[in-house]
Amino acid sequence: MMACQEWPEPVIRVQALAESGLTTVPECFIKPRSQRPINTTLVPNQAKSCPQINININNNDNINIPVIDMKHVYCDDKRLREETLERVSEACREWGFFQVVNHGVEHELMREAREVWRGFFHQPIQVKEKYANSPLTYEGYGSRLGVKKGAILDWSDYFFLHYLPSSLRDQAKWPALPTSLRNVIAEYGEEIVKLGGRILEIMSINLGLREDFLLNAFGGESDLGACLRVNFYPKCPQPDLTLGLSSHSDPGGMTILLPDENVSGLQVRRGEDWITVKPVPNAFIINIGDQIQVLSNAVYKSIEHRVIVNSDKDRVSLAFFYNPRSDLLIQPAKELVTEDKPALYSPMTFDEYRLFIRTKGPSGKAQVESLTSKCDSN
Ligand code: OGA
Ligand code: NI
């Protein structure tokens, strides 16, 4: 697979489209029925009298992903510490997604990070277009993921930047406006990298590995990759027909997501259902990416997720991806490969791995599953 130089079609800025006041969603955003946000069914009697009626068959309103209080992770009380680690372990095995509170990142910094990005997306279009990205690196202001001509697009714009390794960090490529953005994001990145390190340590211990196993597999503190994708989901006149972000699993190691404080939208797949995450104030949402699925030999699995949009509120989210150094081979940890459980995945670098989503766009868990089948046939 080759990286593409240019987008296959003229780019549509979704925010500009939404702000133009249109009342219907253009065809290129209309998802096939099976992918639309609400699984609807017709009750036969009602169908006769009122063919328009849609009954939502999913009723998961009272389910949420686990919320874990991190305050005891470093306390002296061994029992409390172990209890917290066990809760993380269960969340990783059973959900692949959880929220953390008392994580050590200042709430004010979280608020500022969100607000500087809201400020960027509300700059005039000419200001944003200076950062227009291409599919070669994806860095900058973008509106699609994947280069398939004629693809059904998602209802969102984004900004993508590199934070680590520092050789790839180029603040000149980050927005100059609002004026505080570069400093706020540098500080935010530093704090999130520290938080990510703490969580990787917990995951390593929980997997029965040395506490620095995952960080080392990622290339160690100075070499690991970290990038930020800021998503902007504009209001949508027909939210039932489209998605803010199509179903995917994150290709990298682990994601630390700062969701919007006021608007929900993220949905996590659980069997055949989609659970809408209810963000807890001042929490981060953590999820396992494909690289940890591979390293853990599927003890932990990356979970499909997607984003729905709505007609009354824009939504901003900051997805910080904590990734392996891109030229290292990633493969199942030797300690987790046994006769009963042979290595499920063949080795691959993250550089090679992420070409898939960058070319084909979000497509559920197709990629990590294709690695398994390659391994079976070997
Ligand atoms: C992502 C993602 C979720 C959200 O950027 O990969 O899944 O809530 N974002 O924006
Ligand atoms: Ni994601």
Side-chain angles (χ1 to χ4, degrees):
M1 246 183 291
M2 278 279 293
C4 239
Q5 306 276 331
E6 286 306 327
W7 300 113
E9 288 142 339
V11 175
I12 305 172
R13 301 302 180 191
V14 181
Q15 184 183 0
L17 186 65
E19 287 171 0
S20 75
L22 83 179
T23 53
T24 56
V25 166
E27 208 168 337
C28 60
F29 293 95
I30 301 183
K31 302 291 174 185
R33 259 169 213 287
S34 62
Q35 290 174 20
R36 291 185 198 168
I38 299 174
N39 261 328
T40 54
T41 187
L42 290 175
V43 174
N45 285 338
Q46 284 168 326
K48 242 181 268 160
S49 55
C50 177
Q52 301 302 316
I53 198 158
N54 282 334
I55 307 293
N56 186 353
I57 54 169
N58 289 339
N59 191 3
N60 295 319
D61 283 356
N62 43 15
I63 304 180
N64 201 4
I65 59 172
V67 178
I68 299 176
D69 187 335
M70 303 284 279
K71 79 168 167 275
H72 296 308
V73 172
Y74 301 102
C75 77
D76 293 332
D77 187 326
K78 183 157 177 275
R79 191 184 54 86
L80 286 175
R81 220 169 45 229
E82 284 175 353
E83 245 172 51
T84 308
L85 260 61
E86 181 49 35
R87 292 214 59 213
V88 175
S89 169
E90 192 178 320
C92 290
R93 282 178 285 117
E94 306 292 327
W95 284 86
F97 257 91
F98 53 100
Q99 303 192 58
V100 291
V101 293
N102 289 318
H103 39 62
V105 181
E106 297 273 352
H107 299 171
E108 179 59 19
L109 181 60
M110 297 164 76
R111 199 191 56 76
E112 280 176 353
R114 214 189 268 118
E115 289 318 308
V116 290
W117 283 109
R118 224 190 281 282
F120 169 74
F121 283 101
H122 285 109
Q123 296 293 318
I125 189 75
Q126 309 85 287
V127 172
K128 292 182 283 189
E129 287 296 351
K130 282 196 247 166
Y131 304 95
N133 75 349
S134 92
L136 200 55
T137 66
Y138 274 84
E139 282 177 284
Y141 177 52
S143 298
R144 69 186 284 167
L145 187 53
V147 293
K148 253 179 19 209
K149 207 175 158 116
I152 304 292
L153 303 174
D154 288 339
W155 194 263
S156 54
D157 300 320
Y158 62 86
F159 198 100
F160 183 76
L161 61 83
H162 284 291
Y163 188 78
L164 287 177
S166 40
S167 57
L168 288 183
R169 188 191 312 170
D170 181 359
Q171 290 214 16
K173 293 183 182 164
W174 302 7
L177 293 173
T179 48
S180 59
L181 185 143
R182 289 178 181 170
N183 285 339
V184 169
I185 295 314
E187 189 184 344
Y188 181 78
E190 194 174 323
E191 290 303 310
I192 300 301
V193 168
K194 283 192 226 156
L195 172 61
R198 296 194 288 272
I199 296 173
L200 277 196
E201 226 171 71
I202 296 173
M203 288 180 183
S204 302
I205 295 169
N206 283 341
L207 286 165
L209 303 168
R210 277 178 48 152
E211 63 180 25
D212 57 1
F213 181 88
L214 287 173
L215 185 60
N216 282 341
F218 282 19
E221 222 160 302
S222 56
D223 278 349
L224 87 146
C227 37
L228 177 66
R229 178 180 153 108
V230 183
N231 300 293
F232 187 85
Y233 304 97
K235 288 182 228 181
C236 177
Q238 293 177 296
D240 295 350
L241 299 182
T242 188
L243 287 170
L245 185 54
S246 294
S247 169
H248 66 285
S249 62
D250 293 341
M254 172 176 73
T255 305
I256 302 178
L257 182 88
L258 177 63
D260 202 307
E261 52 195 337
N262 303 311
V263 196
S264 58
L266 173 62
Q267 294 190 320
V268 174
R269 184 164 175 150
R270 190 131 171 100
E272 292 308 303
D273 292 336
W274 289 98
I275 309 291
T276 303
V277 174
K278 292 168 228 18
V280 166
N282 301 309
F284 285 103
I285 299 170
I286 311 288
N287 66 282
I288 306 277
D290 295 346
Q291 305 305 309
I292 289 186
Q293 174 166 337
V294 170
L295 283 161
S296 74
N297 205 21
V299 177
Y300 296 164
K301 294 190 188 66
S302 62
I303 297 296
E304 269 178 75
H305 53 285
R306 68 182 189 185
V307 176
I308 57 172
V309 288
N310 71 83
S311 55
D312 0 290
K313 282 194 174 119
D314 297 335
R315 176 172 180 269
V316 177
S317 71
L318 279 63
F320 198 91
F321 302 115
Y322 209 94
N323 298 331
R325 183 182 135 152
S326 64
D327 57 356
L328 292 178
L329 277 178
I330 300 297
Q331 56 193 313
K334 282 197 303 293
E335 295 83 343
L336 301 176
V337 174
T338 60
E339 217 166 294
D340 292 343
K341 198 168 177 205
L344 290 170
Y345 310 99
S346 36
M348 192 183 269
T349 65
F350 183 52
D351 259 339
E352 192 186 345
Y353 192 90
R354 73 173 157 200
L355 274 180
F356 183 98
I357 193 165
R358 289 185 168 194
T359 311
K360 300 200 175 168
S363 27
K365 289 203 62 169
Q367 184 180 16
V368 74
E369 278 159 14
S370 78
L371 275 187
T372 332
S373 54
K374 244 182 253 166
C375 217
D376 291 344
S377 60
N378 280 346

